[in-house]
Amino acid sequence: MAQQKNLSQNNDLLERFTASFAGLRSHSNLPNGTTPFIWAIAVLLIVIFAAFYLNVRSNNEAILRTNLMKSTAKVADNIEMRLRASSASMARLIERLELDGNTAAVLNKFSRELLNSNPEITLIRLIEPSGKGIESMVNPRLGKRELRQYNYLDYPQVVRDAIADAFLSNRVSISSFWFTPGDSTSPSVVIVYPFTLEDKSYALLSRISLNKLLEESTPSSLRADYEFSLLHGTEEIAGRAAYNPPDDYTIPSYVRAADPLPPSIQLYGCNIVESPLIFASPLIYWLGALMLFLLISLFFLNKEMRKNQADLDRANRELELRRSIEDSISSAIVITDLENKIVYTNPAAQVITGYSEDELQGKTPPYPFWADTSVLPATLLGDPSKLDPAAFPYRFDLLVRRKDDEQLNVLLLATPFYSSYNEHIGWIYMMRDNTIESQSMNLTNDAIASYQRLLNSVMSCISVVSHKPTGTMLGIHNDHYTEQLGNTADGHLAISRACKIPFNPQGSREAEVWVDSLERWFSITEARVTLPGGSHVMLQSAQDITQRKINEKELEDQTNRMENSSRLITLGEMASTITHEINQPLTAITAYANTAIEVIGNAPEVNRGQVLEIYKKIANQAGRIDKIIKNIRAFAKRRPTTLENVPLANVINDTQELGKLIEKKYAGIRIVYELPKVLPNVLCDPVQIMQILMNLIRNAAEAILEAGCTDRTIAVIAKVGANEVELQVADHGPGISDTMKASLFTPFFSTKKNGLGLGLSTCQTIAESHNTRLRVRDNEGGGTVFVFDLKICS
Ligand code: ADP
């Protein structure tokens, strides 16, 4: 079952190959610029919509303007109608007056009716040519205040002119507008109707309130949308159309003549709808909705297309990748359908067979590159259902005849080709050129073998180890390593751990190390190597030098023995000096002892103080002898040196402690320490190093005091180098002459009265056992510096 799954996974991969040969190879990208195209359409739509909107808007404006003109005309017509009607009524009243003659009564009777039906007429007056009023009738609808306004009898010039004109021409005359003086709310015109009664000239005068006239002439249906007023020039004299139109109001107002009112009075119409309905037609809303829909659709279309483009780009990249994989596969891949007709070959197939893709495409067995048709994989041509999937891939050794007739041995692997629906749809053949592979294999093997021979010829244990999370792995190693240290990395690691010397900045180190676990000495070279992939390995070359070390030890022992004997010889030679040294205190002791005997034996009474003084002197001299003997013993029998990795700071600390005692003992001496902040670990015998330092400090103190120098400072200085620390003891004492320097380190060289001359000689021996030498040089500005080095340890 798992096998089947694996197969289908394989086949999915292979199906990609089929996809690629089925035509995707020639597939190209969608034209670039799809998005700009869609955006262009969107912009075009917006432009069309804007144009349409502007068109509708201007159409609406035209409609509104026409409506305004019509409405204003209607009001003008009404004004004309009313004035004509009132003129007709006045004419009838005149007829009555002419007929009935009883002017006051007639006037009263008929004018009342007239005023009732013509509310804009505020006053009717019968006048003589002189202008003098005979009878007046005031519109009964007027309030008290209005009455006062309109019943004003003292006519202004414009009215008098109209009266004169009417009597002169015997025609109806209309005055220009006027106010009752002091009252601008009473704009009026006066119409003068002349007539003759019983050969006498009269006229009827009607005063018309322009406000009332305008009000009566404005149909209520227009009031919601328009305001009208009467202008005299630019001045508004009646109505309230000059009411400020809203800011966004773009439709102009309209002015026209209001016949038969005098031409100086004009009718002014103005639209007062705050937001005039621009989109009078619902079409624009439908169109807007459509536009929005189209824009949203375009947006989603664009998104979809971008996604498709991205998918396509990805597909193309995959295809490129697949192609490069196909191209990089060194095995030939040939895919056939169930009839074994070749449907796909990869570039390697063309290289191995020498036939081009076109030459192989569509070919059925025997294929042109099969040299030997006898091994034709007949199994595959049989019933696929009988095939055992567990047996895949089928392997054949096949002889291929290239187009150029050259013959090749290839390994042919055959597997069924399943579709993603797990349908068996063909066969996949993979062919590998055995010849090339075996040749290159041989070459590689040869190279490895000669490399190994080279390594084996080296007499050191060569090994390479790599540190993995799972542990340290032994890599390349030579036979010598296997013989000496086995087949694991343990030997390498044991040697490496025994080495206390740090790696230098180049990542290598060299040392001679004693390996406890192996009980052997090795001379080793180790290097950290970075491989091309970035991983690190450790290369070690370890040569067993145990025998050499044994020889060296023997030699050293021999030398020591010789040294010892030479020391003893020297001691022998110096016996007389020693005898002299010891004799001196001994003689003194004898003398003191005799004195004591005398003092105690002869005196009747023992003087305690005197006797105590004598014994103190004896003890002093005995102490001196003890010191001489100790020094000689230390010289004759030296303690073996044990080198260890110790912090130099510890050694210095202990020295400082003992230094304090010296400061106490040698009054006036001051010891200063010039040390870096961080002191490394050093390879040394700490007790012996302290011994050197104390000896040098003591010598310096004695020399300073002896010479009576003023600068009584002794400096202990540590200078840390790359591999070593230089230790110095410097003073500004009397200094040492060159001749003295030559014999300074020889045993028993001393300039002191009671000196044994073994101090510096012992220090030098210790220094040598630390692989260094104690040197002496003059101090700058006078005095002496003693110097020696210690190896730094990691
Ligand atoms: P000792 O101290 O017993 O004389 P050493 O071997 O320690 O033996 O010293 C040898 C001689 O070196 C000293 O006697 C002294 O003359 C000389 N010497 C040592 N250190 C100094 C120093 N710092 N300044 C001058 N002379 C010194």
Side-chain angles (χ1 to χ4, degrees), residues 699-700 703 731 735-736 740 744 749-752 755-757 759-760 784:
N699 274 350
D731 63 61
I736 300 172
M740 254 173 77
L744 206 58
F749 172 82
S750 176
T751 59
K752 296 170 195 166
L756 263 188
L760 288 179
T784 315

Side-chain angles (χ1 to χ4, degrees), residues 758-770:
L758 289 177
L760 288 179
S761 150
T762 312
C763 289
Q764 186 65 283
T765 318
I766 294 174
E768 277 167 7
S769 66
H770 282 75

Side-chain angles (χ1 to χ4, degrees), residues 361-611:
Q361 197 83 10
K363 292 286 182 306
T364 46
Y367 302 128
F369 55 86
W370 277 357
D372 184 358
T373 50
S374 64
V375 293
L376 194 134
T379 5
L380 302 184
L381 299 171
D383 182 358
S385 61
K386 290 193 183 128
L387 295 174
D388 173 15
F392 293 132
Y394 287 100
R395 288 164 170 272
F396 303 93
D397 284 322
L398 194 75
L399 193 63
V400 162
R401 187 174 56 230
R402 288 170 51 85
K403 197 178 177 186
D404 57 9
D405 263 351
E406 194 194 325
Q407 302 220 338
L408 284 181
N409 272 318
V410 300
L411 172 70
L412 182 113
L413 303 173
T415 21
F417 185 14
Y418 291 98
S419 73
S420 50
Y421 304 106
N422 231 4
E423 246 178 305
H424 182 207
I425 55 167
W427 299 99
I428 304 163
Y429 300 101
M430 289 187 90
M431 294 186 282
R432 227 171 42 215
D433 184 350
N434 271 346
T435 348
I436 297 167
E437 201 166 287
S438 53
Q439 274 171 8
S440 67
M441 197 63 140
N442 287 343
L443 275 176
T444 318
N445 287 341
D446 282 354
I448 292 173
S450 50
Y451 176 61
Q452 194 66 43
R453 269 200 303 280
L454 190 77
L455 283 184
N456 289 342
S457 66
V458 178
M459 283 315 285
S460 299
C461 304
I462 309 268
S463 57
V464 173
V465 298
S466 53
H467 299 288
K468 300 264 161 60
T470 46
T472 306
M473 307 297 295
L474 177 64
I476 297 165
H477 58 283
N478 63 357
D479 286 350
H480 210 67
Y481 180 91
T482 320
E483 281 161 21
Q484 301 253 321
L485 303 163
N487 263 326
T488 64
D490 294 348
H492 177 117
L493 290 179
I495 293 171
S496 197
R497 280 186 200 123
C499 180
K500 301 288 180 240
I501 293 198
F503 282 89
N504 63 20
Q506 287 74 42
S508 62
R509 62 177 176 181
E510 279 178 33
E512 290 184 354
V513 292
W514 165 254
V515 185
D516 262 351
S517 55
L518 302 172
E519 295 196 328
R520 267 184 278 172
W521 276 95
F522 288 93
S523 163
I524 67 160
T525 306
E526 281 191 326
R528 289 187 184 129
V529 181
T530 306
L531 297 181
S535 56
H536 302 284
V537 292
M538 182 68 76
L539 174 68
Q540 186 189 71
S541 157
Q543 195 177 2
D544 188 343
I545 52 160
T546 317
Q547 195 51 49
R548 197 191 86 199
K549 280 284 178 186
I550 291 171
N551 296 344
E552 275 176 10
K553 182 84 174 69
E554 267 176 14
L555 197 68
E556 195 188 345
D557 287 351
Q558 237 170 20
T559 320
N560 278 345
R561 276 198 298 276
M562 275 169 68
E563 209 180 285
N564 276 343
S565 43
S566 86
R567 253 191 225 114
L568 292 174
I569 290 164
T570 318
L571 277 178
E573 279 169 1
M574 294 306 292
S576 58
T577 320
I578 297 166
T579 314
H580 170 73
E581 286 293 326
I582 296 175
N583 257 346
Q584 263 186 331
L586 261 183
T587 315
I589 289 172
T590 315
Y592 289 134
N594 286 336
T595 316
I597 292 167
E598 226 170 83
V599 168
I600 300 165
N602 297 344
E605 221 170 77
V606 178
N607 182 341
R608 258 186 105 237
Q610 199 184 1
V611 173

Side-chain angles (χ1 to χ4, degrees), residues 242-422:
Y243 161 81
N244 279 342
D247 285 346
D248 64 342
Y249 189 63
T250 55
I251 298 158
S253 50
Y254 179 62
V255 180
R256 59 157 292 159
D259 297 332
L261 288 172
S264 63
I265 299 174
Q266 285 185 301
L267 179 63
Y268 174 83
C270 173
N271 200 325
I272 56 160
V273 178
E274 294 234 342
S275 305
L277 187 69
I278 299 297
F279 304 121
S281 156
L283 184 66
I284 191 76
Y285 294 104
W286 283 113
L287 203 77
L290 183 69
M291 261 287 306
L292 205 65
F293 173 74
L294 280 177
L295 282 176
I296 292 170
S297 310
L298 274 178
F299 172 75
F300 282 109
L301 183 69
N302 181 34
K303 218 169 144 186
E304 189 61 22
M305 284 176 87
R306 270 162 166 267
K307 197 175 146 272
N308 286 349
Q309 182 67 47
D311 287 351
L312 209 61
D313 286 348
R314 204 167 37 248
N316 278 328
R317 276 200 301 279
E318 256 177 47
L319 192 64
E320 286 299 321
L321 179 73
R322 232 178 287 149
R323 232 177 267 167
S324 55
I325 294 171
E326 282 174 46
D327 292 352
S328 63
I329 292 173
S330 59
S331 296
I333 297 173
V334 176
I335 301 180
T336 70
D337 61 13
L338 280 178
E339 276 78 49
N340 275 308
K341 190 163 81 188
I342 294 176
V343 289
Y344 169 76
T345 54
N346 74 341
Q350 292 140 35
V351 172
I352 287 179
T353 62
Y355 288 95
S356 73
E357 190 178 8
D358 289 344
E359 284 169 324
L360 295 174
Q361 197 83 10
K363 292 286 182 306
T364 46
Y367 302 128
F369 55 86
W370 277 357
D372 184 358
T373 50
S374 64
V375 293
L376 194 134
T379 5
L380 302 184
L381 299 171
D383 182 358
S385 61
K386 290 193 183 128
L387 295 174
D388 173 15
F392 293 132
Y394 287 100
R395 288 164 170 272
F396 303 93
D397 284 322
L398 194 75
L399 193 63
V400 162
R401 187 174 56 230
R402 288 170 51 85
K403 197 178 177 186
D404 57 9
D405 263 351
E406 194 194 325
Q407 302 220 338
L408 284 181
N409 272 318
V410 300
L411 172 70
L412 182 113
L413 303 173
T415 21
F417 185 14
Y418 291 98
S419 73
S420 50
Y421 304 106
N422 231 4

